[in-house]
Amino acid sequence: MPSPSAYPQLAGRLFEIAQEGRVFPDSKTFVDCVPVEEPGSIRERFTAEYEGEDGELDDVVDGDLDLAGFVHENFTLPEDPVTAADPSTTSMEWYIDGLWPHLIRDPIDRREGETVIPLPNRSVIPGGRFRESYYWDSYFVAEGLAVAGRVDVVEDIVENFASLIDRFGFIPNGNRLYYTTRSNPPCFHLLLDLLSDERGPEIARHYLPHLEREYEFWMDGADGLERGEAYRRVVGLEEGVLNRYWDDQPRPRPESYREDVELAERVDRDSESVYRDVRAACESGWDFSSRWFDGEGIETIHATDRVPVDLNALLYGTERSIARWYDDDDPETAAEYREAAEARRAAIDRYFWDPQREFYFDHSWSRGERTDSWTLAGVVPLFSGAATQKQADAVAETLEERFLRSGGLVTSLRYSGEQWDAPNGWAPLQWMAIVGLRRYDHSGLAQEIAGRWLDLNREVFERTGRMLEKYDVTGGRGEGGGGEYPLQFGFGWTNGVALALPRLFY
């Protein structure tokens, strides 16, 4: 983490009291604020005005401190870059095209005390409270940018990610300092696939050292790992090593400090393990979902115990991509990665495929068994090409019978109150399911899902003038909900998938 003296909105008593005192309804707001002057001066003034000789903030306890006034006086608040459209004057597609200038950010030079990470090229933010770029979001955004003729921005995204790998050894969850202890679902190879389709394979080979370094980040500690052992993002199983989500900091998330502290207080186990599980779920992008729970509610979260099917399917894709791009120049290295991919594919069959239920499930490595959570993570082996045709046929049947709703595919079959569960549907999961189904010759079902999803996007836009972060695909007004924060608008990956889906069929 950065030094508290450099970022008063991230650490120290001011940070703790501002978050615990609910200066802002959303904990993320304060950590995204920008100091109006040198951060050290703000901290000194706060200490001089409000801390007594014993270091206690008695005025805060007594309610005399105008904490909100102090924060507003000393910090510039972040702004939402997106406004609603008048759907009577524009179409959904024209609105999305007009949003790009609001979501595309010029190269970023960090201001003093600001938590954003500098980037050398343009990036794309999702919108709403998400005022920075995010790793896996950027891939789905890029699919839409390519359709919109903005491959130049896709190139910028790839170059930014390469620069982040150079600096951190991996691509952080998002472009903020408080995200630099975790990553996101590994989609860099997908961005390179997309860019090579548009610009030729040489550009992907140029970034091959960066892709390998990212792969090494995920596989750190794999050599010599024994069965039943886990280290960071690797887990030793009978058939070899597979991967899990992780975070190197067992502390409350700065952007959700109050929520994490309150959660730990409700749970009857050590706080560090709770914080680690919460952060690991955030690395997955599925924050939060019942797939990470051992019982009812987030109090039972055990994300580090899960060996997730989607993560390992994406790493299978990474291994295959590296092997393919090494084929011409280094066949021996290509063969090593191809062998690793085939070993992972066999492990995916062993640990995630359930022959009785004919679907893919996450694996609990501590219990040595598959979980019972039916989720759309089970489509990612089709998306990455790790499934057999017979498995894909069974998944297609399950999707149609269990997951298909009036507005597309529901994220899971469980209503938990978390946003990555029923009744919500998410653009990235629709995309991976549709692409995966087409890959295995289930184009009719793929087109049906795409049509229902796009019809829902359009219906909500024509009523509200907005593109949503997530949608209720089960009926009603179509506006998704649940989770830690209110429904957000913008919205990067929804826009990208809405533009990219029609090109798959026409």
Side-chain angles (χ1 to χ4, degrees):
M1 289 296 293
S3 167
S5 61
Y7 305 95
Q9 69 276 49
L10 281 187
R13 293 293 287 148
L14 173 57
F15 164 77
E16 293 173 2
I17 294 168
Q19 297 291 51
E20 292 171 357
R22 301 177 184 269
V23 172
F24 301 106
D26 185 344
S27 296
K28 189 176 185 298
T29 304
F30 185 49
V31 295
D32 292 351
C33 288
V34 180
V36 298
E37 60 178 302
E38 195 275 321
S41 299
I42 296 174
R43 292 179 58 82
E44 289 174 6
R45 184 160 57 255
F46 179 77
T47 300
E49 292 184 16
Y50 301 113
E51 286 192 11
E53 293 182 359
D54 58 359
E56 296 297 325
L57 292 171
D58 297 328
D59 289 341
V60 176
V61 177
D62 296 336
D64 295 335
L65 169 60
D66 181 11
L67 186 60
F70 182 90
V71 169
H72 283 80
E73 178 183 347
N74 289 280
F75 294 88
T76 300
L77 275 59
E79 297 180 355
D80 187 340
V82 178
T83 58
D86 179 355
S88 68
T89 63
T90 188
S91 67
M92 181 177 78
E93 289 79 8
W94 278 103
Y95 174 66
I96 292 172
D97 191 61
L99 269 184
W100 291 127
H102 300 280
L103 300 180
I104 295 174
R105 290 289 183 264
D106 289 332
I108 296 171
D109 290 323
R110 184 180 58 82
R111 291 168 288 180
E112 186 173 15
E114 187 175 22
T115 58
V116 72
I117 298 170
L119 292 174
N121 299 282
R122 291 171 296 177
S123 58
V124 184
I125 67 171
R129 74 196 288 266
F130 302 108
R131 308 169 188 93
E132 53 285 313
S133 65
Y134 285 78
Y135 179 6
W136 78 315
D137 297 57
S138 295
Y139 160 64
F140 302 100
V141 168
E143 289 284 359
L145 286 169
V147 171
R150 302 301 304 270
V151 181
D152 56 323
V153 182
V154 178
E155 289 184 275
D156 282 350
I157 291 170
V158 168
E159 182 59 29
N160 284 337
F161 283 176
S163 77
L164 290 169
I165 292 171
D166 285 338
R167 280 177 279 172
F168 297 101
F170 67 99
I171 302 168
N173 181 168
N175 192 46
R176 294 277 181 182
L177 289 170
Y178 51 78
Y179 287 139
T180 55
T181 58
R182 62 178 181 267
S183 188
N184 237 186
C187 293
F188 191 46
H189 70 289
L190 299 172
L191 278 163
L192 296 183
D193 280 339
L194 174 60
L195 197 55
S196 65
D197 287 344
E198 299 289 340
R199 294 284 193 254
E202 285 306 314
I203 196 164
R205 293 191 185 100
H206 173 73
Y207 292 106
L208 187 52
H210 295 92
L211 183 58
E212 282 195 283
R213 190 172 177 192
E214 184 197 35
Y215 180 72
E216 291 166 2
F217 160 80
W218 286 100
M219 299 304 296
D220 178 41
D223 293 341
L225 194 69
E226 299 291 334
R227 174 185 175 185
E229 294 181 344
Y231 175 77
R232 299 187 78 207
R233 292 166 176 83
V234 290
V235 178
L237 300 171
E238 185 176 344
E239 297 268 335
V241 174
L242 288 176
N243 292 81
R244 65 175 177 176
Y245 290 112
W246 182 255
D247 188 297
D248 291 324
Q249 288 289 348
R251 297 201 289 254
R253 294 167 293 161
E255 75 279 13
S256 299
Y257 179 84
R258 182 180 66 249
E259 293 86 348
D260 287 357
V261 169
E262 292 175 352
L263 171 62
E265 290 173 348
R266 299 195 304 270
V267 177
D268 187 22
R269 61 187 172 104
D270 70 282
S271 297
E272 287 194 356
S273 67
V274 175
Y275 297 144
R276 184 93 72 187
D277 283 318
V278 165
R279 285 168 170 262
C282 291
E283 183 169 79
S284 79
W286 290 52
D287 44 336
F288 295 101
S289 169
S290 61
R291 68 184 288 208
W292 311 125
F293 301 167
D294 278 351
E296 293 296 327
I298 195 171
E299 291 80 7
T300 67
I301 190 169
H302 283 84
T304 57
D305 178 61
R306 300 293 188 268
V307 183
V309 59
D310 46 355
L311 170 60
N312 285 280
L314 289 171
L315 286 170
Y316 169 80
T318 299
E319 290 159 342
R320 294 282 297 177
S321 291
I322 296 174
R324 184 174 73 254
W325 290 324
Y326 262 126
D327 269 336
D328 293 337
D329 299 329
D330 190 343
E332 185 175 342
T333 300
E336 292 174 0
Y337 277 103
R338 194 163 280 113
E339 182 180 353
E342 289 310 305
R344 190 182 297 273
R345 183 174 183 170
I348 288 172
D349 279 350
R350 165 73 182 274
Y351 294 104
F352 305 125
W353 177 253
D354 190 308
Q356 280 72 48
R357 294 180 288 182
E358 294 191 308
F359 199 70
Y360 290 99
F361 297 85
D362 296 328
H363 179 81
S364 166
W365 68 272
S366 68
R367 295 196 298 268
E369 62 186 21
R370 285 180 287 274
T371 72
D372 59 1
S373 295
W374 294 80
T375 79
L376 284 186
V379 307
V380 185
L382 280 65
F383 177 71
S384 295
T388 65
Q389 185 63 51
K390 183 178 180 181
Q391 289 167 333
D393 294 346
V395 169
E397 184 176 346
T398 297
L399 291 178
E400 188 167 18
E401 291 181 354
R402 289 177 173 262
F403 287 86
L404 186 59
R405 301 290 188 271
S406 60
L409 296 174
V410 69
T411 301
S412 83
L413 303 185
R414 186 170 173 183
Y415 288 79
S416 70
E418 300 296 343
Q419 60 177 349
W420 289 86
D421 277 316
N424 291 337
W426 295 78
L429 302 182
Q430 313 298 315
W431 175 259
M432 288 192 285
I434 291 163
V435 171
L437 289 167
R438 281 172 48 83
R439 183 171 194 153
Y440 289 88
D441 299 320
H442 289 279
S443 294
L445 177 57
Q447 190 163 4
E448 179 67 23
I449 295 166
R452 295 189 187 194
W453 175 255
L454 290 174
D455 285 349
L456 177 60
N457 290 176
R458 194 176 309 280
E459 186 278 322
V460 172
F461 173 77
E462 290 177 350
R463 179 163 42 80
T464 69
R466 297 182 184 275
M467 302 297 291
L468 310 185
E469 173 194 24
K470 54 186 175 279
Y471 293 79
D472 179 349
V473 298
T474 66
R477 295 178 60 81
E479 298 173 25
E484 291 184 304
Y485 54 83
L487 180 63
Q488 301 296 300
F489 312 103
F491 195 84
W493 60 19
T494 305
N495 302 348
V497 169
L499 293 183
L501 280 177
R503 189 165 75 167
L504 294 178
F505 301 100
Y506 305 108

